[in-house]
Amino acid sequence: KGQLVVGFSAYSAAFMPAFVADRAGYFSQEGLSVKLIFFQSGVQLAQSLISGDTHIGMGSAPELITAVNAGVKMRAVWGISNKMPYALISRPQIRTINDLKGKKIAVSSRASLSEFLAAYVLKSRGLDPQRDVTYLPIGGVPTRFAAVQSGSVDASLISAAHFEKARQAGLNLLVMLEDLIPEWPLDIIYLREDFLANREAEFRAYLKAYQQGVATSKKNPEAAIASLQRSLR
């Protein structure tokens, strides 16, 4: 078996089982050599999968949907959660969605999950998501949070881990997205269909090790946290 290159598009607890499986040696036990690679955005991850540089992706649904709609034969095979853990936050002066007209919204990259969901919120409140705001691609949640806090942008999407921090910073949580989208495929494992056809045994071995990572995360939270801390450096 050759090396599997596995990309992930967020340093998130959602992907903790992969970090646990890597540190505990579950991939090696399945005869796999797995290289975990971080991508700044889901768009970059999807592009790497399309080119074949990355074999397995752990990311969000919109990038997969965009690729499939463009004719790329890809498949999602694992859903990590059906929770919607995002909120649209803004500077204190921005109190409603309509106040965002003519303003700047930070996203990870163009055509990313953060832009997709921000546009969905704007459209649900009667704004034109393509004409009424400007999207600035600046990176992940911590970077976007800091940009809103500094006032260099007016709003952005953040994940649940930052909700309390946003409140403490005096930022407005304009919309809790779970109120608009109660169920959402939070993070998925996906890959190209030709890779699945040619290396299915390796992929099944990857999922088996990943499942062991899930079980260990539930049984031994301390080990899971240590694995996440190591991955987050």
Side-chain angles (χ1 to χ4, degrees):
K1 296 178 181 179
Q3 185 181 70
L4 287 181
V5 179
V6 179
F8 58 101
S9 59
Y11 277 118
S12 166
F15 303 127
M16 184 184 290
F19 304 143
V20 172
D22 185 44
R23 189 178 188 195
Y26 299 149
F27 293 133
S28 298
Q29 292 171 19
E30 295 298 324
L32 300 176
S33 173
V34 173
K35 185 176 183 180
L36 295 169
I37 303 292
F38 171 66
F39 287 84
Q40 290 289 342
S41 72
V43 174
Q44 292 177 352
L45 170 57
Q47 291 171 342
S48 184
L49 280 164
I50 291 170
S51 70
D53 293 334
T54 300
H55 304 123
I56 300 170
M58 300 191 298
S60 56
E63 291 84 24
L64 169 65
I65 294 170
T66 299
V68 171
N69 286 340
V72 181
K73 294 187 180 300
M74 282 191 177
R75 182 180 301 180
V77 296
W78 184 286
I80 293 173
S81 170
N82 65 348
K83 301 289 186 181
M84 171 50 81
Y86 297 109
L88 186 66
I89 63 166
S90 68
R91 296 187 296 113
Q93 296 85 348
I94 306 293
R95 300 185 180 279
T96 69
I97 295 297
N98 286 332
D99 291 341
L100 286 173
K101 190 169 184 177
K103 299 298 192 296
K104 296 177 290 187
I105 297 180
V107 297
S108 62
S109 64
R110 296 308 308 267
S112 64
L113 173 65
S114 52
E115 181 179 338
F116 176 87
L117 292 177
Y120 184 89
V121 171
L122 296 175
K123 190 173 182 179
S124 73
R125 300 301 171 87
L127 293 183
D128 185 329
Q130 301 307 319
R131 296 184 178 182
D132 288 340
V133 300
T134 299
Y135 299 104
L136 298 180
I138 64 173
V141 172
T143 303
R144 301 198 307 267
F145 182 92
V148 176
Q149 194 172 17
S150 70
S152 59
V153 300
D154 300 289
S156 185
L157 205 74
I158 63 167
S159 54
H162 288 75
F163 287 177
E164 186 56 33
K165 188 176 180 181
R167 293 188 182 98
Q168 292 175 358
L171 303 177
N172 292 325
L173 277 74
L174 290 179
V175 177
M176 305 296 289
L177 268 72
E178 65 179 356
D179 295 335
L180 297 178
I181 311 172
E183 291 195 15
W184 172 261
L186 172 59
D187 287 297
I188 57 174
I189 295 177
Y190 64 105
L191 69 171
R192 292 192 339 189
E193 290 187 0
D194 59 348
F195 176 83
L196 182 61
N198 295 327
R199 299 175 66 177
E200 181 178 347
E202 289 172 84
F203 181 64
R204 287 184 177 275
Y206 175 83
L207 285 185
K208 184 177 179 181
Y210 186 93
Q211 285 179 299
Q212 288 181 282
V214 173
T216 298
S217 298
K218 291 181 176 181
K219 292 178 182 178
N220 190 343
E222 291 77 13
I225 291 170
S227 296
L228 187 60
Q229 287 175 326
R230 180 185 179 188
S231 299
L232 295 175
R233 295 177 180 83

